[in-house]
Amino acid sequence: MLIRYIPGATGFEAGLRRAARATLYLPTACRMAADPCYPWINAGAVRFLSRTLTRRMTGFEWGGGRSTAFLARRVLHLVSVEHNPKWRRRTLALLARHCLANVDCRFLPPGDAPGRPEARPQPWRRLNHVHRMPEYAAYSDAILEFPEEHFDFVSIDGRARVECAFNAASRLRPGGFLLLDNSEWEKYAPIFAAFLDWRRCDFENGVWRTSLLFKPDARSG
């Protein structure tokens, strides 16, 4: 069970909710204070990544920050896309501080660029999906410039997450995985509905959820 954040809530019950959330969040806050490269995702997902990622892997992420340094330390190459100039500066500074040069950091702010609608993969057509955040079309389509089945993993922790997930599916190799943070939010339900045949693993800490979706690999069946 997750104790959800309710924007603008006041009163005694809201205070108890905030106190409970702060208590449950404390272990992650302590880990982040001790390690500037500890990512802001659930501890179970961090443990999974720590034992799974290897220096032979190539990854893609939407949403730069601590996760960028954490992933870069463990993989061969990472492409990181960020929309916020402040976070991009912080990410570049963190990478430089830890001498991590294996990251292709890209800055794609919201705007009028149409992206690459002609290259969008099958989930868009199957679900007749229309971009819900068109100002992030170029941002969410950034992965489409890479070949199909190119990446070993994709991390989604930025804007337009539904559209990012739909695009990521075709660029993820069979057996690879998609990481979705804050997956408890109902607005991300279309992602799970689109990939019902993908194995799912959830990590929760009482405050928020991080989910992993594993692309089926017919070769291992």
Side-chain angles (χ1 to χ4, degrees):
M1 177 181 176
L2 295 174
I3 301 176
R4 298 288 297 273
Y5 169 67
I6 302 177
T10 59
F12 179 73
E13 184 176 343
L16 286 178
R17 180 180 294 272
R18 285 193 295 272
R21 283 178 56 85
T23 300
L24 292 168
Y25 179 72
L26 188 58
T28 297
C30 290
R31 294 184 180 103
M32 291 173 66
D35 180 0
C37 296
Y38 190 89
W40 200 352
I41 60 176
N42 268 275
V46 175
R47 288 192 293 270
F48 169 85
L49 293 172
S50 296
R51 67 174 181 263
T52 302
L53 298 178
T54 73
R55 297 294 295 180
R56 298 186 302 273
M57 290 183 170
T58 299
F60 187 102
E61 73 165 354
W62 280 282
R66 290 167 171 264
S67 62
T68 310
F70 175 86
L71 296 170
R73 280 177 161 180
R74 292 164 171 81
V75 302
L76 177 65
H77 185 71
L78 178 70
V79 179
S80 179
V81 177
E82 178 55 52
H83 76 282
N84 184 299
K86 177 181 176 181
W87 274 108
R88 182 172 186 268
R89 289 193 297 270
R90 286 185 177 182
T91 300
L92 291 173
L94 182 62
L95 294 174
R97 194 156 60 245
H98 292 275
C99 301
L100 295 167
N102 60 335
V103 183
D104 177 4
C105 288
R106 304 188 176 194
F107 178 55
L108 287 170
D112 298 330
R116 303 183 62 189
E118 76 289 346
R120 290 171 185 163
Q122 192 264 351
W124 289 78
R125 298 185 292 276
R126 176 164 53 87
L127 299 172
N128 196 27
H129 184 75
V130 177
H131 209 301
R132 300 188 300 184
M133 302 179 72
E135 67 273 25
Y136 288 99
Y139 171 91
S140 59
D141 287 353
I143 199 171
L144 298 179
E145 73 173 72
F146 295 92
E148 293 192 1
E149 301 182 359
H150 182 75
F151 294 104
D152 296 291
F153 67 92
V154 175
S155 174
I156 303 177
D157 196 10
R159 301 295 185 186
R161 299 188 191 188
V162 172
E163 289 75 17
C164 289
F166 287 177
N167 285 338
S170 65
R171 270 50 184 179
L172 194 62
R173 68 166 179 80
F177 64 89
L178 179 71
L179 183 150
L180 175 66
D181 198 28
N182 307 113
S183 57
E184 74 277 7
W185 290 97
E186 288 81 2
K187 61 184 177 181
Y188 302 138
I191 297 174
F192 300 111
F195 305 124
L196 289 174
D197 58 334
W198 292 35
R199 182 168 65 87
R200 174 177 173 179
C201 181
D202 294 331
F203 298 98
E204 297 183 3
N205 60 4
V207 182
W208 86 99
R209 179 186 302 135
T210 302
S211 295
L212 295 169
L213 291 168
F214 297 86
K215 187 173 183 176
D217 187 352
R219 294 169 298 185
S220 63

